[in-house]
Amino acid sequence: GAVVSQHPSWVICKSGTSVKIECRSLDFQATTMFWYRQFPKQSLMLMATSNEGSKATYEQGVEKDKFLINHASLTLSTLTVTSAHPEDSSFYICSGGDRDISPLHFGNGTRLTVT
Amino acid sequence: GQNIDQPTEMTATEGAIVQINCTYQTSGFNGLFWYQQHAGEAPTFLSYNVLDGLEEKGRFSSFLSRSKGYSYLLLKELQMKDSASYLCAPMDSNYQLIWGAGTKLIIKP
């Protein structure tokens, strides 16, 4: 089946630093990439949607200058958490689809801990 | 508004059958997905229904009634590894998946 490779799996960083998370679609072209955040025992929260070659669309309440998304190719999307704070500690998951109605293929997620 | 209603938690016995119900309200509808999510892991795709009726895939089956805004996931011959959260995710008119908190399924020996 389709695979999305997400790195790193976990990262610990100091408050004020930036962290980049990468997602690569390995055997399909991800025309759309979704970035989610999930706090313990809560539902997936969509942060932003990006289409290859265009600017990401951010959900209400998500700071676009803090969560930088780049979707430069059909196989690579990145999320950079800038000036991270402890409240940004969460499980970040990317998912990609190759057409409107298709199952989303999820990366394995990145557990971010900001100290 | 858009919302999903699933039981928060269910318990079942190994080898038995369990049905997880989901009711939903969305702006438009482009099908409904079921995902499985083990603790600390990302969701994995289980099934997709766009027409009314039952879709069977091995031990898992999913049912949809669009007129009732209702779906269920049926798991047969339960195994301990089926302990996970099950997410019902309808797709709205903008092809966005709507996520609820899911149903945590606990399997007991």
Side-chain angles (χ1 to χ4, degrees):
Chain A
V3 176
V4 173
S5 175
Q6 182 173 347
H7 295 280
S9 299
W10 58 270
V11 58
I12 302 173
C13 71
K14 292 186 177 180
S15 187
T17 61
S18 295
V19 174
K20 180 186 278 190
I21 302 170
E22 280 192 1
C23 272
R24 293 180 183 274
S25 56
L26 299 184
D27 54 359
F28 70 101
Q29 293 185 325
T31 53
T32 303
M33 198 69 91
F34 300 91
W35 286 93
Y36 293 90
R37 182 166 52 182
Q38 187 176 35
F39 293 103
K41 299 184 179 181
Q42 294 188 21
S43 64
L44 291 166
M45 292 169 47
L46 180 64
M47 297 176 67
T49 303
S50 71
N51 293 299
E52 183 264 339
S54 61
K55 289 185 178 180
T57 302
Y58 289 81
E59 295 299 302
Q60 195 171 14
V62 178
E63 299 173 58
K64 62 180 181 181
D65 294 329
K66 179 173 180 61
F67 299 98
L68 302 178
I69 291 172
N70 185 285
H71 193 167
S73 76
L74 286 170
T75 58
L76 175 63
S77 179
T78 61
L79 167 68
T80 302
V81 182
T82 62
S83 187
H85 291 288
E87 56 264 32
D88 298 325
S89 299
S90 186
F91 190 49
Y92 292 85
I93 314 172
C94 66
S95 67
D98 58 357
R99 50 192 169 89
D100 286 330
I101 300 178
S102 67
L104 289 181
H105 305 289
F106 286 86
N108 288 331
T110 298
R111 190 159 302 283
L112 171 64
T113 302
V114 184
T115 60
Chain B
Q2 307 198 103
N3 71 283
I4 296 166
D5 192 22
Q6 291 179 247
T8 303
E9 188 173 295
M10 299 181 70
T11 303
T13 306
E14 190 176 16
I17 298 173
V18 71
Q19 178 174 312
I20 301 174
N21 295 321
C22 169
T23 57
Y24 62 88
Q25 289 179 309
T26 56
S27 301
F29 182 74
N30 278 305
L32 185 143
F33 294 81
W34 282 94
Y35 283 83
Q36 179 191 61
Q37 185 176 24
H38 285 98
E41 299 181 12
T44 54
F45 169 73
L46 289 179
S47 68
Y48 172 64
N49 294 67
V50 65
L51 299 177
D52 291 350
L54 187 69
E55 293 278 345
E56 297 186 74
K57 196 187 275 188
R59 294 190 298 116
F60 294 1
S61 303
S62 56
F63 172 83
L64 175 68
S65 169
R66 290 171 295 173
S67 62
K68 295 181 179 178
Y70 168 70
S71 175
Y72 68 72
L73 181 69
L74 189 73
L75 294 78
K76 303 176 185 176
E77 302 169 18
L78 287 170
Q79 301 174 10
M80 297 303 293
K81 67 178 182 180
D82 297 329
S83 292
S85 287
Y86 291 86
L87 312 176
C88 162
M91 180 175 273
D92 68 11
S93 57
N94 293 321
Y95 301 101
Q96 294 263 15
L97 287 178
I98 311 302
W99 299 93
T103 298
K104 183 179 179 181
L105 178 63
I106 300 168
I107 309 297
K108 294 186 175 180

